[in-house]
Amino acid sequence: MVDYHAANNQPSAGGAQSYMVQENDWDRDLLLDPAWEKQQRKTFTAWCNSHLRKAGTQIENIEEDFRDGLKLMLLLEVISGERLPKPERGKMRVHKINNVNKALDFIASKGVKLVSIGAEGSTNFSTCSYLLLQCMSINTPVLSDSWKDGLAFNALIHRHRPDLIDYDSLRKDDPVTNLNNAFEVAEKHLDIPKMLDAEDIVNTARPDEKAIMTYVSSFYHAFSGAQKAETAANRICKVLAVNQENEQMMEDYEKLASDLLEWIRRTIPWLEDRTQEKTVNDMQAKQEDFRDYRCVHKPPKVQEKCQLEISFNTLQTKLRLSNRPAFMPSEGRMVSDINGAWHTLEGAEKGYEEWILSEIRRLERLEHLAEKFHQKAAIHESWTDGKEAMLKQKDYETSTLSEVKALLRKHEAFESDLAAHQDRVEQIAAIAQELNELDYYDSASVNTRCQKICDQWDLLGTLTQSRKESLERTEKQLETIDELYLEYAKRAAPFNNWMEGAMEDLQDMFIVHNIEEIQGLITAHEQFKSTLAEANKEREAIQSIQAEVQKIAQSNGIKLSGANPYTTITPSSIDSKWEKAMTMVPQRDSALQEELNKQNSNDSLRAKFATQANTVGAYIQEKMEEIGRISIEMNGTLEDQLTNLKDYQKNIMSYMPEINKLEGFHQLIQEALIFDNQYTPYTMEHLRVGWEQLLTTIARTINEVENQILTRDAKGISQEQLYEYRASFNHFDKKRSGQMVSDDFRALLISTGNSLGEGEFARIMSIVDPNNSGAVTFQAFIDFMSRETTDTDTADQVIASFKILAGDKNYITAEELRRELPPDQAEYCIARMAPYAGPDGVPGALDYMSFSTALYGESDL
């Protein structure tokens, strides 16, 4: 085995070369001696076989068995404990030369100078002998004078155990003390028995070479065990460091996933709360809270969700590269679970926003209806005031015939008036019904007032019918009637009702949401104004009847007893209402024009929002298509692609002011209570989702390229191979989605000459698609194509390393772990190793085999 000098870049081979230069008279004579050559063949063959037996093979003839370089490379791997480049298995001379060159290059990398030695001359025995001498001399020279003065023995111990020898205190002129110091330390601390006597070595001109070689070999074997332990400890440390890092990433993922799911769990009930408010202002306050949630609270969670997916993908890549099983998060914390919860959250958001807008409309409608109800109710109640007492009068019992006839005609006029008010009562009842259907918060008081009006209306109907019957019974006794009064009353009553209805309409509250609706009201108002001329003629005709009465009375000397007996509507009241109605017309004109201006302003807001929304929507669509093409084409090196993608991401983020500008337009539209927009198919919700998807897609694509760089560097994949992998992947990615479905992946494997059964294909799919998504990503494809060529740690290698630390035992103790490993990793192993249950165990023995297999997912800890 190559000793610690070579492993730590110490020039021990230089000692061998110095020795050969200083003793050239000795080795030149020996190299020409056939007997010495035969002895060296035998010695070298035995020495080589002592190492090759560890690999289950041996040699018979150095010249023949080392000619193809295969066993020479195997010998160097056994004595060094390191992996050489993969040998060539061909039988041609060029293959043999290449293998020998790999062996020579490895020896040279350990600091051994190979003078005039090449693969082409490796069949000459003197060259082989020299090469093997160099291999053996990697440890330390044997016949140097340094052995005689004791310094070499002390230096050998000091090199490996500096705590046992104070080398700087030794003197070259005191060889006996030096030798005895080295021999005593070796016997006491290294368990190497004393084989030579210091005085014999010093007093002999040339010490026995074989004896010294035998003694030195004892040091070699003592220190080689320490080298194995150090190598084993290094391997275990490396494996444990990888495992600790992966466990930390798993814990970070679980915490981030739990926090995000908990936030979603707390937020969804708030979004699903449909507690109704009583006023528009209260609902607009809820709308403002929701806007604050969308703009302030949610964006950080969008970033956390994106980081969660990136962390998950990076962890899976690292696990694949370190030959670990795929990470399966706790139940309910898979990326798909996060996406499902997120989808539910977005659905709740959409439903909540729609509900808020619907509630604002409903409450706005309710407030309008409630005001309209109370206005109409007040007008009706004012009209009905005193009607019940009037209908209960029995004045006809003491009246003259003319008075009775007058009372009858007056009653007929009242019935006409009553019938005219029937429509108003029905309107009041209909409004109350609609308020109930829309769940108006003060429906109880509305219902009470409506019921009172209806009950009174029914009573008025009964009383009216009763009074009419009484008057008709008396009518037979009465003959005269004033036709002019009657005609006046009959024409004045409907005209009066028309004026009251017109004034009611002119004061009517209105609510519109677009230009078409307000223009409809303006058109109706203009039509109403066109009827005023005819109405004025009717007013003048009614007033002329009263004038005719006065004329007849004056002409015939008739003294009028008072007001028109058939109606309470006086000419002055008609003129007063007419003048009042005429003042309301321009007021209505002004109100309608003001609303028209408002709707024009709203329409301008719609146009501004639509222009910006159409621009942003087209931009998002264009960039989504671009990133789709970029993720498939991926031109240039991975570093170039990563740089370009990050620049592309910065370019996308520079568009954020346009999104904010659109949000500003959207806020103005909501504040103006605009609920529709015919100028654009886009809604703010649609564009928000599109923008978030664009940012997430770019971040995911960058993460994929970063993982490809990790894979390439870890597995030594060239840029040309990556291009070939990408070309093959794109060819079989029929949908150009950046993922291959299982059938496309099967077709790719078949095209490479693989004949796959269902079982084998299912095994491969479990590797490239551990989450059973039904698709193969480019990253998983690269991992699969390159995994067979990568040298990775295995559970067997880790078990073998632990066995070295345990001194070939089937168990290991905590004391041995603390002695051989760094403190934190030793405690990591002690905490996780199960007690050893074998019959050869001792108290406190730990099972390192089950621990090692569990690291690679082959058993449970």
Side-chain angles (χ1 to χ4, degrees):
M1 179 179 290
V2 176
D3 81 328
Y4 285 77
H5 292 292
N8 292 277
N9 295 322
Q10 298 295 325
S12 63
Q17 293 170 350
S18 298
Y19 163 75
M20 294 184 72
V21 172
Q22 296 169 1
E23 302 295 332
N24 55 6
D25 55 339
W26 171 76
D27 56 13
R28 286 175 184 169
D29 294 340
L30 288 180
L31 289 173
L32 297 175
D33 184 357
W36 179 87
E37 181 177 331
K38 180 178 180 182
Q39 180 60 39
Q40 291 303 306
R41 288 173 185 263
K42 181 177 180 182
T43 300
F44 291 157
T45 301
W47 178 79
C48 292
N49 285 334
S50 69
H51 292 290
L52 289 173
R53 277 196 298 271
K54 300 174 184 178
T57 186
Q58 64 180 11
I59 61 173
E60 299 293 338
N61 187 303
I62 291 179
E63 296 181 45
E64 296 299 328
D65 294 343
F66 281 160
R67 186 181 301 275
D68 59 6
L70 293 176
K71 291 190 177 180
L72 179 58
M73 293 178 70
L74 182 61
L75 173 64
L76 291 175
E77 287 186 345
V78 172
I79 66 176
S80 69
E82 300 181 27
R83 181 69 64 84
L84 272 67
K86 188 176 181 180
E88 299 181 12
R89 298 294 181 178
K91 301 297 183 180
M92 298 177 65
R93 186 170 183 270
V94 66
H95 299 138
K96 300 177 181 179
I97 291 175
N98 289 341
N99 290 338
V100 174
N101 275 331
K102 292 177 181 178
L104 297 179
D105 290 343
F106 178 77
I107 294 174
S109 71
K110 300 303 179 182
V112 178
K113 294 184 179 179
L114 303 176
V115 182
S116 301
I117 294 180
E120 290 80 358
S122 61
T123 58
N124 178 272
F125 176 72
S126 63
T127 300
C128 290
S129 300
Y130 178 79
L131 177 61
L132 292 173
L133 277 172
Q134 292 288 10
C135 292
M136 297 175 64
S137 69
I138 287 173
N139 294 314
T140 187
V142 176
L143 302 178
S144 170
D145 286 342
S146 294
W147 299 115
K148 188 172 181 178
D149 61 20
L151 293 178
F153 282 105
N154 282 277
L156 184 60
I157 297 174
H158 181 266
R159 172 62 186 82
H160 297 284
R161 293 290 303 275
D163 58 311
L164 299 180
I165 297 293
D166 183 7
Y167 190 83
D168 293 336
S169 67
L170 302 177
R171 302 194 338 250
K172 186 176 180 66
D173 58 356
D174 190 3
V176 173
T177 300
N178 297 341
L179 289 167
N180 283 330
N181 181 63
F183 296 163
E184 290 171 1
V185 168
E187 185 173 27
K188 180 178 180 181
H189 297 284
L190 303 180
D191 198 26
I192 299 175
K194 185 175 180 181
M195 300 181 184
L196 300 175
D197 184 75
E199 288 75 8
D200 291 344
I201 294 175
V202 172
N203 297 328
T204 302
R206 179 182 284 280
D208 182 65
E209 300 168 0
K210 294 183 179 179
I212 290 179
M213 180 180 292
T214 300
Y215 205 178
V216 171
S217 67
S218 299
F219 284 86
Y220 164 75
H221 289 298
F223 292 133
S224 66
Q227 168 68 12
K228 291 180 180 178
E230 182 178 349
T231 302
N234 288 339
R235 178 182 293 275
I236 292 173
C237 289
K238 174 185 175 183
V239 171
L240 294 178
V242 170
N243 216 60
Q244 288 172 311
E245 181 182 0
N246 291 341
E247 287 183 358
Q248 185 60 48
M249 290 186 71
M250 293 177 190
E251 292 175 4
D252 293 344
Y253 172 88
E254 290 281 345
K255 184 178 185 307
L256 186 57
S258 297
D259 292 346
L260 186 57
L261 286 171
E262 176 60 19
W263 178 81
I264 293 173
R265 185 192 66 77
R266 295 195 311 268
T267 303
I268 287 178
W270 174 66
L271 293 173
E272 292 177 344
D273 182 16
R274 296 297 184 267
T275 302
Q276 295 180 338
E277 300 295 341
K278 295 181 179 180
T279 66
V280 172
N281 289 337
D282 291 340
M283 284 307 299
Q284 287 178 330
K286 279 194 173 184
Q287 186 180 47
E288 186 62 31
D289 291 341
F290 180 72
R291 185 181 296 115
D292 185 68
Y293 157 79
R294 288 304 308 267
C295 298
V296 178
H297 300 290
K298 185 184 178 186
K301 299 303 178 182
V302 174
Q303 294 297 323
E304 290 180 12
K305 177 177 177 292
C306 179
Q307 184 60 43
L308 191 70
E309 295 180 6
I310 291 173
S311 299
F312 182 83
N313 294 336
T314 301
L315 174 58
Q316 297 293 44
T317 298
K318 288 187 175 182
L319 289 173
R320 288 194 297 271
L321 294 179
S322 59
N323 201 25
R324 275 22 174 223
F327 170 54
M328 294 298 293
S330 302
E331 183 177 358
R333 293 182 175 86
M334 292 288 291
V335 172
S336 58
D337 297 324
I338 303 296
N339 289 334
W342 192 263
H343 179 72
T344 303
L345 175 71
E346 291 181 333
E349 286 179 6
K350 184 176 184 298
Y352 188 66
E353 186 172 31
E354 292 174 350
W355 175 75
I356 287 176
L357 295 177
S358 175
E359 278 295 290
I360 290 175
R361 291 181 181 179
R362 184 182 70 84
L363 291 173
E364 187 180 38
R365 172 68 176 166
L366 282 174
E367 290 181 0
H368 170 69
L369 287 175
E371 186 174 355
K372 191 172 184 178
F373 170 84
H374 291 297
Q375 183 185 45
K376 287 184 177 292
I379 293 173
H380 176 77
E381 289 167 348
S382 175
W383 179 85
T384 59
D385 185 35
K387 295 295 189 295
E388 182 177 343
M390 181 270 291
L391 291 173
K392 291 181 178 180
Q393 289 178 359
K394 297 187 181 297
D395 52 345
Y396 53 84
E397 294 180 348
T398 58
S399 299
T400 64
L401 179 62
S402 60
E403 289 173 342
V404 170
K405 286 185 177 290
L407 290 175
L408 186 57
R409 297 296 182 269
K410 182 180 180 180
H411 188 74
E412 290 175 353
F414 174 77
E415 285 183 318
S416 177
D417 199 10
L418 187 68
H421 278 79
Q422 176 68 35
D423 182 61
R424 180 177 288 113
V425 174
E426 291 175 355
Q427 289 179 7
I428 291 172
I431 293 173
Q433 178 64 27
E434 188 171 0
L435 287 171
N436 279 275
E437 292 174 353
L438 293 177
D439 197 21
Y440 180 56
Y441 78 97
D442 198 21
S443 295
S445 64
V446 170
N447 293 337
T448 300
R449 191 171 187 181
C450 181
Q451 187 62 47
K452 182 179 179 182
I453 290 173
C454 292
D455 291 344
Q456 185 187 37
W457 186 255
D458 292 339
L459 178 59
L460 289 177
T462 302
L463 293 175
T464 299
Q465 182 63 29
S466 176
R467 182 172 176 80
K468 181 180 180 181
E469 292 173 355
S470 297
L471 288 173
E472 287 177 345
R473 283 194 302 270
T474 310
E475 184 185 17
K476 295 178 181 180
Q477 303 170 13
L478 304 175
E479 296 179 353
T480 59
I481 188 170
D482 192 340
E483 292 293 341
L484 288 175
Y485 273 139
L486 182 58
E487 182 180 0
Y488 175 89
K490 288 184 176 180
R491 295 181 68 172
F495 184 76
N496 185 67
N497 286 334
W498 175 87
M499 285 194 299
E500 288 181 349
M503 287 190 292
E504 186 176 335
D505 290 340
L506 289 171
Q507 298 178 83
D508 187 25
M509 301 292 294
F510 58 82
I511 177 172
V512 296
H513 298 95
N514 52 55
I515 294 177
E516 290 75 14
E517 291 180 0
I518 187 61
Q519 286 178 339
L521 291 178
I522 291 174
T523 300
H525 183 61
E526 292 299 322
Q527 291 175 351
F528 164 75
K529 289 197 295 183
S530 68
T531 66
L532 290 179
E534 288 297 324
N536 190 42
K537 290 180 181 180
E538 178 66 11
R539 181 184 67 83
E540 291 175 347
I542 293 172
Q543 296 292 45
S544 68
I545 294 174
Q546 183 65 24
E548 184 66 20
V549 169
Q550 296 293 336
K551 181 180 179 181
I552 293 173
Q554 292 174 2
S555 299
N556 295 283
I558 299 174
K559 185 178 180 181
L560 298 176
S561 61
N564 190 324
Y566 306 118
T567 181
T568 60
I569 301 172
T570 64
S572 62
S573 68
I574 291 177
D575 288 340
S576 176
K577 289 181 179 179
W578 176 262
E579 291 172 0
K580 185 176 180 181
M582 292 304 99
T583 60
M584 291 180 178
V585 171
Q587 294 175 359
R588 184 72 169 183
D589 287 335
S590 177
L592 292 173
Q593 185 60 45
E594 182 180 347
E595 183 63 28
L596 178 62
N597 294 337
K598 176 184 174 183
Q599 291 304 321
N600 284 328
S601 174
N602 289 351
D603 207 52
S604 176
L605 285 178
R606 289 189 183 94
K608 288 181 180 179
F609 176 84
T611 299
Q612 184 69 4
N614 292 337
T615 300
V616 171
Y619 176 85
I620 292 175
Q621 180 64 29
E622 176 188 353
K623 296 306 177 182
M624 285 296 290
E625 293 174 357
E626 282 184 7
I627 194 61
R629 292 194 300 271
I630 290 172
S631 64
I632 293 176
E633 295 171 358
M634 290 298 183
N635 298 320
T637 66
L638 291 178
E639 285 75 9
D640 292 341
Q641 295 172 23
L642 184 59
T643 299
N644 293 337
L645 281 171
K646 289 184 177 179
D647 291 342
Y648 189 82
Q649 187 182 44
K650 291 179 181 178
N651 181 56
I652 293 298
M653 291 306 299
S654 68
Y655 196 74
M656 192 63 192
E658 296 301 320
I659 302 297
N660 293 336
K661 180 180 179 182
L662 184 63
E663 287 283 4
F665 288 152
H666 180 63
Q667 182 174 349
L668 292 176
I669 280 180
Q670 287 193 326
E671 290 172 352
L673 300 179
I674 299 173
F675 304 110
D676 55 10
N677 195 334
Q678 70 274 25
Y679 300 121
T680 179
Y682 295 107
T683 65
M684 195 65 231
E685 176 65 23
H686 180 196
L687 294 175
R688 285 184 189 129
V689 172
W691 178 251
E692 292 170 0
Q693 287 178 346
L694 175 60
L695 297 183
T696 300
T697 301
I698 294 173
R700 187 182 297 114
T701 304
I702 290 175
N703 178 247
E704 289 176 356
V705 175
E706 290 173 340
N707 287 339
Q708 291 174 27
I709 291 175
L710 286 176
T711 303
R712 180 201 66 190
D713 294 343
K715 299 192 175 183
I717 301 174
S718 68
Q719 190 64 40
E720 289 74 15
Q721 286 176 304
L722 283 175
Y723 285 150
E724 292 177 3
Y725 291 159
R726 171 55 75 181
S728 298
F729 187 89
N730 289 347
H731 176 75
F732 285 92
D733 180 12
K734 303 301 184 183
K735 297 181 178 178
R736 294 295 184 268
S737 62
Q739 294 182 334
M740 282 189 291
V741 298
S742 59
D743 290 342
D744 291 343
F745 183 56
R746 182 195 291 271
L748 188 151
L749 294 178
I750 293 174
S751 71
T752 60
N754 292 305
S755 179
L756 300 175
E758 289 299 326
E760 177 63 13
F761 182 69
R763 183 190 70 80
I764 293 175
M765 283 300 295
S766 69
I767 296 174
V768 299
D769 182 22
N771 294 327
N772 295 322
S773 65
V776 180
T777 65
F778 181 61
Q779 179 62 41
F781 173 66
I782 292 177
D783 291 340
F784 173 74
M785 295 298 290
S786 58
R787 67 185 292 117
E788 299 300 328
T789 61
T790 303
D791 178 26
T792 58
D793 294 317
T794 65
D796 290 340
Q797 290 175 328
V798 177
I799 290 174
S801 298
F802 272 119
K803 193 163 189 176
I804 292 174
L805 298 186
D808 257 3
K809 301 189 298 293
N810 292 327
Y811 60 86
I812 194 168
T813 65
E815 180 183 358
E816 290 170 332
L817 288 171
R818 292 190 176 102
R819 184 180 68 236
E820 301 294 346
L821 299 179
D824 59 334
Q825 295 186 339
E827 298 305 323
Y828 178 84
C829 294
I830 293 170
R832 286 164 173 76
M833 284 187 182
Y836 178 71
D840 55 337
V842 299
L846 300 174
D847 187 354
Y848 60 80
M849 294 186 182
S850 64
F851 173 77
S852 300
T853 56
L855 290 177
Y856 292 87
E858 299 175 10
S859 68
D860 296 328
L861 281 175

